[in-house]
Amino acid sequence: MKRKTFYFAAILLCFLVTFRLSAQNAKLTLNLNKSGAKVSPTLYGLMTEEINHSYDGGLYAELIRNRVFKDNMETPEAWSVVQEGGGKGTIMLMGANELNVPMEQQRNAINDALTVCLRLVVEKGDGRVGIANEGYWGIPVKPQTTYQASFYAKGTDEAAGPLNVSIESNDGTVTYASGQVTLDKGPWKKYRVSLTTTAGIKPTAAGRFVISTKRPGSYYFNLVSLFPPTYHNRPNGNRIDLMQMMADMKPTFLRFPGGNFLEGDYFSTRFPWKSTLGPLEQRPGHPGCWGYRASDGIGLLEFLEWCEDLKIEPLLAVYAGYSLKGDYVYPGPLLKPYIEDALNEIEYVTGSVKTKWGAKRAEDGHPAPFKLSYVEIGNEDWFDRSPSYDGRFNQFRNAIKARYPQILCISTISEEQKGKVTTGDVPSMIDEHYYRSAWQMEEDADHYDKYNRATSPKIFVGEWATREGVPTTNMNAALGDAAWMTGMERNADLVLKSCYAPLFVNVNPKTGTLPRAWQWGSDLIGYNAITSYGSPSYYVQKMFNTYLGSQVIPVAGTNIPVKRATKQDSTNRRAIPKKATIPTLFYVATKNTKGGAVYLKVVNTSDKAQAVTITLNGATGVAAEGTMVTLKGDKPDDTNTIDEPEKIIPVTSKIKDISKTFTQNFAPYSVNVIQMYTRP
Ligand code: AHR
C-alpha cells in the first residue's frame, strides 16, 4: 500500500471507530459474582471546629453574643444602651477592679472566669433605660416559643426593684415577649425568667434582647444568656434545625475539636478542654484562631453529648505540642505535661467514675463513660517543619497505648501530604486532607485505587472538600465531591473514615461595623439566626451515606465519554489540571450482603444527558422495580442560598424496567443513586 493511501485508511479507521464508539452508550457492568472491598461501616462521619461561627452564632443555641463581656476588652461589643422617653444612661465595661485582692473580695469579679462585667448607669429614669444585645446577626424571634433568659446582676441600693426583660424589634417598637425579675440589694445574684412569644408573629431575625428599668442607679450584669428550645431539650444545648440536618446525614462519628481550633495560634490558645467543663460560670472562653473569641459553651462534654444525641462515636483529636504559628514542643521531658494532659482528657471521656477525671465527668452530669476507639494526635503536623512530629507522635502514642491499649492512634502526616511518615509501628490510621477544585477531584477520583494494600497504612480522609461556591458550595463542587466519593467508597477497605470540612457556615455578610460571619468560603451547611439550608454538597453527603452497602461490587466501565479542561480550569492557578482529559462518568456500586440491595452511584459531570447500559453480571434474579435518587443542576454554578434554600435537592423516582441488562438515562450535571434488588 502506498504511504498516502495507508495514512488515509488509518484516518478513516480512526474516524469510524471514534464515531461508532461515540454513538454507543457508555456501559457499566456490575460483577455481582466477584467480591470487592468490604466497606468500612464507619466510612462517613462529621468534622467540626469553631470556624465561620460554627458554634457561637451557629450550632450552639445561645443567642446572646459576648455574654461574659470578654470578646473585646475595649468596648462592650454587641451591646448598646437603650434610652427612651427622657431616660438617660451609659454603659461601660468594668474589669475586676483591684489587683492582688482575693477574687471574692473584688467587687466586679464573680469568680476567676467571670472577671469582666457590664455597668449600666441610669442617670434619669423618666423613660426606659437599659442594655440591649444584638445577638449573632440578630436575635431570632419565632411564634409561640419559650426562651429561657438568665443573668447575674447586682446594683446600688436605689437600683433594687423590678427589671424588665424582653425580646423586641431592633428599634424597640414591637415587644415580642417580656417578663420581670426583682433585683435584690446586695451582692451578685443569678436571675432567671422565661419569655414566651405569642402566636401569629412572623419569624424574624431582626430582634434584640433588652434588660431595662426606669429607676436611676448603677446596675452590673454578667453571664447574660438567652436560650430558645434546644435539640432533645438539653439545657445549654444545640440548635434543633442544625442537629436535624446532621442526623439526616447519617454520620457514624464526629471528629473534634479541630482542625486549627485544636492547635490555636499559640500554646496558650490551644483548645483548653479543662476550662470548657462544668457550669457556664466556670467557662471564661478563649481566643479562637479564626478571628473571634470562643465562648466554649460547646465544651468537651457538649461535644460528647452531641455524639450521644446523634448516636455516633467521638473521634477525639488531642493537642500534640504544635500550634499554628509554628511553636512546637521538643519531644522528651518538655512534652510530658502535654501528654499527661491528653491522657487526662481521654480519662474524662472514657474513665469510670472511680477515676479522677471520670468522677469529674459524673459531677458534670454524665456518669456513663463514652466509647472512644480513635484518638488523633495533633492536626496537620506536616506544617511543622522542625521536624518534631515523629518524636511527638511516638511519645504520645506510646503513652496512650500503655494506658489505653484499646485506643488506636491516628497520625497527621503522610508522604501524600508532603510530610514524612512517622517511624516505628505503622500508625493505625493516617489523616489526609484534600481541598481542591472540581476538576482536581474528578481527575484524581481513582487516587486510592493506586494505593498499595500491602504497605499503606489505613487512611482517614479527615478533611476534604471541593472548593467551588461561596460561602456554601455549588453544583460543580457537588459533582467534584461525588466523583471523589466514588473513589473513597470503592476503596473503603483502605479508607476507613472520611469527613467533609468545614461543616458549618453562618452566611451573614458584612453589616455596618460587623465583619462578615465567615472566614472560609466553600462550606456544607449554611444558616443565619433564623433558618438554615444545605448546599448541593450537603445532599451528596446525605445520598452517599444513606445508600451504602457493606461490600463493594467491582464495576467495569467501558466507552465512557471524556471531557477537556475548560479555560477556567486551566487559569485557576491554585488548581491547574494535571490531565488533559478526564471521564465524564464516575461510578461505584455496593451491596448489602443480606437482603440483596444493590446501590449504584453514577455521577454525570457532562453538560449532556447520558444513556448508560447497565449489566448486572452474576445475578440470577433482578426485581424490575427500583428507585433512583437524583440531584441535578441546570448549570455548574447553580446553588442553594439562604433565600433560595431548595433550588437543588434530591428527587426520588421509581424505575420500573430493571433487568439483567437495562438502559438508564442520567441528566446533565447530576449525581444519582439507583437502589435495586438482585438475587445472587
Ligand atoms: O477546615 C478548615 C481548616 O483547614 C482546618 O482548620 C485545618 O485543619 C485545615 O487547614
Side-chain angles (χ1 to χ4, degrees):
M1 210 187 304
K2 281 205 174 129
R3 199 182 244 186
K4 236 178 172 177
T5 324
F6 172 78
Y7 281 138
F8 179 72
I11 289 167
L12 187 67
L13 187 68
C14 281
F15 177 77
L16 288 175
V17 168
T18 315
F19 180 76
R20 210 181 119 63
L21 285 181
S22 60
Q24 272 183 4
N25 285 353
K27 288 196 171 89
L28 296 181
T29 305
L30 277 63
N31 289 305
L32 286 143
N33 43 1
K34 292 193 185 146
S35 298
K38 193 169 170 303
V39 176
S40 161
T42 57
L43 177 59
Y44 297 125
L46 302 169
M47 187 272 166
T48 174
E49 67 175 317
E50 182 57 289
I51 181 175
N52 300 327
H53 286 275
S54 287
Y55 310 151
D56 294 342
L59 179 66
Y60 184 43
E62 172 66 85
L63 298 178
I64 302 297
R65 183 176 192 145
N66 194 15
R67 69 183 174 192
V68 299
F69 305 102
K70 291 193 171 184
D71 284 7
N72 184 336
M73 289 311 194
E74 309 281 313
T75 175
E77 217 168 86
W79 292 92
S80 57
V81 63
V82 175
Q83 308 175 89
E84 282 173 7
K88 253 186 115 203
T90 53
I91 57 170
M92 189 182 170
L93 287 181
M94 303 290 287
N97 49 4
E98 285 170 76
L99 292 176
N100 305 321
V101 170
M103 212 44 87
E104 58 281 7
Q105 288 169 28
Q106 293 189 4
R107 273 179 53 80
N108 298 330
I110 293 178
N111 59 29
D112 285 349
L114 305 182
T115 50
V116 185
C117 66
L118 185 68
R119 186 184 69 182
L120 166 71
V121 178
V122 180
E123 291 151 23
K124 257 171 82 186
D126 300 349
R128 188 166 79 123
V129 182
I131 57 170
N133 188 272
E134 67 193 37
Y136 293 97
W137 294 271
I139 298 278
V141 187
K142 294 186 180 169
Q144 273 184 316
T145 304
T146 299
Y147 298 73
Q148 306 300 338
S150 64
F151 54 90
Y152 280 81
K154 63 175 185 167
T156 46
D157 284 356
E158 70 273 27
L163 284 177
N164 294 317
V165 183
S166 54
I167 298 173
E168 51 188 65
S169 60
N170 279 334
D171 60 4
T173 54
V174 185
T175 300
Y176 298 113
S178 64
Q180 230 176 41
V181 299
T182 304
L183 180 68
D184 292 336
K185 286 185 184 164
W188 285 111
K189 192 177 149 189
K190 189 166 187 172
Y191 296 87
R192 291 188 174 83
V193 60
S194 297
L195 308 173
T196 303
T197 55
T198 52
I201 293 174
K202 201 166 157 240
T204 174
R208 66 178 187 178
F209 174 77
V210 173
I211 307 174
S212 60
T213 176
K214 287 189 173 170
R215 280 183 318 287
S218 292
Y219 300 76
Y220 298 79
F221 299 96
N222 210 336
L223 188 54
V224 185
S225 173
L226 180 70
F227 271 89
T230 59
Y231 193 72
H232 288 182
N233 290 321
R234 276 197 190 275
N236 193 43
N238 293 337
R239 243 173 96 154
I240 296 169
D241 56 343
L242 298 179
M243 285 300 281
Q244 193 53 54
M245 286 187 81
M246 286 190 281
D248 293 345
M249 285 170 71
K250 303 201 179 353
T252 58
F253 66 89
L254 176 72
R255 173 181 180 236
F256 69 87
N260 292 357
F261 188 61
L262 166 74
E263 301 167 73
D265 282 339
Y266 307 101
F267 294 147
S268 57
T269 54
R270 65 188 186 273
F271 179 68
W273 67 271
K274 284 191 191 119
S275 64
T276 71
L277 301 177
L280 296 186
E281 283 79 350
Q282 307 294 339
R283 302 188 200 188
H286 80 285
C289 61
W290 290 103
Y292 59 97
R293 196 178 163 83
S295 76
D296 292 332
I298 293 195
L300 179 55
L301 184 58
E302 286 78 16
F303 280 114
L304 297 166
E305 288 175 338
W306 166 357
C307 294
E308 192 165 63
D309 282 349
L310 296 184
K311 302 190 178 58
I312 61 180
E313 211 181 290
L315 190 157
L316 177 71
V318 294
Y319 180 75
Y322 177 78
S323 289
L324 290 167
K325 301 254 157 127
D327 292 352
Y328 66 93
V329 184
Y330 210 73
L334 289 176
L335 194 64
K336 278 191 175 162
Y338 295 90
I339 292 179
E340 205 42 47
D341 201 50
L343 294 173
N344 290 338
E345 190 176 2
I346 298 170
E347 185 173 287
Y348 185 88
V349 178
T350 63
S352 86
V353 292
K354 296 206 174 98
T355 63
K356 176 178 168 198
W357 287 101
K360 167 72 179 134
R361 187 193 61 240
E363 185 191 316
D364 294 341
H366 203 289
F370 294 87
K371 186 173 175 217
L372 182 70
S373 306
Y374 287 95
V375 166
E376 178 158 15
I377 298 173
N379 175 57
E380 294 192 338
D381 287 85
W382 66 80
F383 282 113
D384 173 13
R385 301 285 175 214
S386 62
S388 66
Y389 189 64
D390 187 19
R392 290 189 286 112
F393 174 77
N394 277 303
Q395 206 175 328
F396 267 86
R397 174 169 64 177
N398 293 343
I400 293 172
K401 279 264 136 242
R403 201 167 307 169
Y404 305 102
Q406 76 286 6
I407 288 182
L408 302 169
C409 292
I410 303 173
S411 155
T412 76
I413 63 168
S414 67
E415 280 169 24
E416 187 58 40
Q417 305 289 163
K418 299 193 186 71
K420 288 188 184 138
V421 288
T422 48
T423 57
D425 290 345
V426 174
S428 301
M429 272 202 297
I430 284 188
D431 182 359
E432 297 186 339
H433 295 178
Y434 301 91
Y435 290 111
R436 293 169 162 182
S437 70
W439 179 277
Q440 286 178 310
M441 283 304 199
E442 289 161 25
E443 73 176 1
D444 200 25
D446 61 351
H447 186 90
Y448 289 111
D449 297 345
K450 295 176 276 188
Y451 272 41
N452 181 337
R453 298 303 197 265
T455 53
S456 170
K458 299 290 186 195
I459 306 294
F460 172 34
V461 186
E463 288 180 33
W464 70 270
T466 308
R467 301 202 61 193
E468 294 190 18
V470 174
T472 48
T473 53
N474 61 23
M475 190 62 213
N476 207 38
L479 294 170
D481 290 347
W484 175 250
M485 289 176 92
T486 61
M488 290 200 292
E489 201 164 299
R490 189 165 49 248
N491 292 285
D493 58 327
L494 174 77
V495 180
L496 299 188
K497 289 179 184 293
S498 66
C499 40
Y500 185 102
L503 178 63
F504 287 135
V505 62
N506 184 317
V507 297
N508 272 291
K510 185 175 177 336
T511 23
T513 53
L514 275 182
R516 71 169 192 221
W518 47 275
Q519 299 78 45
W520 185 281
S522 74
D523 305 285
L524 200 66
I525 297 175
Y527 46 83
N528 58 17
I530 196 102
T531 182
S532 50
Y533 70 98
S535 63
S537 295
Y538 167 79
Y539 291 109
V540 167
Q541 294 283 316
K542 214 172 134 178
M543 286 163 69
F544 269 66
N545 298 5
T546 306
Y547 301 99
L548 180 64
S550 54
Q551 192 151 24
V552 172
I553 302 168
V555 183
T558 47
N559 199 26
I560 307 289
V562 294
K563 69 176 176 187
R564 291 198 165 273
T566 62
K567 204 167 160 212
Q568 190 195 340
D569 291 317
S570 321
T571 49
N572 181 351
R573 282 195 299 122
R574 291 186 60 211
I576 301 212
K578 288 199 184 108
K579 297 179 184 165
T581 58
I582 53 170
T584 54
L585 284 176
F586 296 87
Y587 45 84
V588 66
T590 57
K591 65 180 175 192
N592 277 335
T593 37
K594 282 183 205 139
V598 168
Y599 309 106
L600 171 63
K601 291 163 179 160
V602 179
V603 186
N604 179 11
T605 67
S606 140
D607 57 357
K608 293 179 189 59
Q610 300 208 49
V612 178
T613 305
I614 298 166
T615 302
L616 302 170
N617 227 354
T620 58
V622 180
E625 200 164 293
T627 50
M628 177 147 114
V629 185
T630 298
L631 183 80
K632 65 182 169 81
D634 292 336
K635 43 188 188 359
D637 57 1
D638 269 357
T639 197
N640 295 334
T641 61
I642 201 88
D643 298 322
E644 204 178 356
E646 298 203 332
K647 184 170 180 182
I648 299 176
I649 55 169
V651 174
T652 304
S653 56
K654 278 209 174 350
I655 313 181
K656 296 210 182 268
D657 50 2
I658 298 175
S659 60
K660 276 198 201 161
T661 296
F662 67 106
T663 299
Q664 186 62 49
N665 265 314
F666 295 102
Y669 306 126
S670 68
V671 179
N672 310 271
V673 184
I674 300 179
Q675 179 175 5
M676 47 200 162
Y677 289 89
T678 60
R679 227 183 8 252

